[in-house]
Amino acid sequence: RRNCDVYVIPKTAIQPNPEKTRKLLEKITEEAVNNYLKIQEEINVLGISLGNAPAYVFANLFPVNRFVSVVPGSLLPECIWESIATRKIAENSGKTLDEYREALDDFSPIRNLDNLKANSLEVYLGRCDKMIPYKSGKELSDEMEEKGLSPKTKIFSASGHCETILRFARNFAN
């Protein structure tokens, strides 16, 4: 019996054509859904960085025991356009922000909160994050509060993207 499924999003996931990015995220989400339907046991979900996009879609479909969201952003298309890691891909794509929204907004974590049911909900943010801007993660956490989801939000005030992930991982293991 397995106790862990891992879905890795490749570094090349953000494509100039947002439809290609969407297809990749759909494939990962579909695989996770199909694997869950085979076992249908209590499940914990961990989303890190871009991995939050399919994680929120999944957790909006099925109740989860523990949902941990590390360096999430509220709106996926905007995060792609604002991130120091992906901004150039979007700017040089020949596509507009509206085209990215049309293709990817369904994968925005903030759009996947209405049916989110988690016994425990944790959000980890870095105030100095330039990959997924802090304001975007804070917007998501605030929206969760507004919807009564009561996330435990931990903000690392002097941490960027990678530092926040590392600090989360160090504490998660304890």
Side-chain angles (χ1 to χ4, degrees):
R1 186 181 136 194
R2 67 177 176 224
N3 61 4
C4 182
D5 282 343
V6 177
Y7 304 92
V8 178
I9 297 178
K11 289 182 194 177
T12 58
I14 303 301
Q15 293 287 314
N17 180 346
E19 288 295 332
K20 287 185 177 180
T21 301
R22 180 183 182 85
K23 285 187 185 343
L24 175 71
L25 295 174
E26 285 174 341
K27 181 180 175 207
I28 290 167
T29 305
E30 183 179 324
E31 186 177 341
V33 166
N34 288 338
N35 285 338
Y36 175 75
L37 290 173
K38 290 176 193 169
I39 59 166
Q40 292 192 24
E41 294 176 4
E42 185 174 84
I43 190 166
N44 298 324
V45 174
L46 167 64
I48 300 175
S49 194
L50 179 58
N52 279 292
Y56 275 83
V57 171
F58 179 91
N60 199 44
L61 296 172
F62 304 106
V64 299
N65 180 46
R66 182 178 180 199
F67 189 143
V68 180
S69 180
V70 183
V71 293
S74 56
L75 297 164
L76 180 58
E78 282 74 2
C79 286
I80 291 169
W81 277 80
E82 294 175 20
S83 171
I84 63 168
T86 56
R87 180 180 330 145
K88 293 275 186 233
I89 294 169
E91 287 174 355
N92 297 326
S93 69
K95 305 288 184 184
T96 64
L97 176 56
D98 282 339
E99 288 174 293
Y100 272 78
R101 284 180 180 138
E102 188 176 319
L104 297 171
D105 197 49
D106 292 347
F107 279 94
S108 292
I110 207 162
R111 304 283 188 243
N112 288 285
L113 299 178
D114 289 340
N115 296 311
L116 188 84
K117 290 178 183 52
N119 293 331
S120 172
L121 180 57
E122 302 163 45
V123 178
Y124 296 83
L125 304 172
R127 194 175 302 275
C128 299
D129 195 333
K130 290 182 175 31
M131 301 271 269
I132 299 179
Y134 167 76
K135 66 179 171 111
S136 182
K138 182 73 170 98
E139 177 183 44
L140 178 63
S141 178
D142 290 347
E143 183 67 17
M144 288 177 183
E145 284 288 349
E146 220 170 275
K147 290 186 175 287
L149 295 171
S150 305
K152 294 176 215 143
T153 302
K154 172 73 174 159
I155 299 168
F156 297 107
S157 61
S159 294
H161 196 74
C162 294
E163 295 90 354
T164 301
I165 295 168
L166 289 171
R167 292 179 105 190
F168 157 75
R170 188 176 332 132
N171 293 329
F172 186 71
N174 294 332

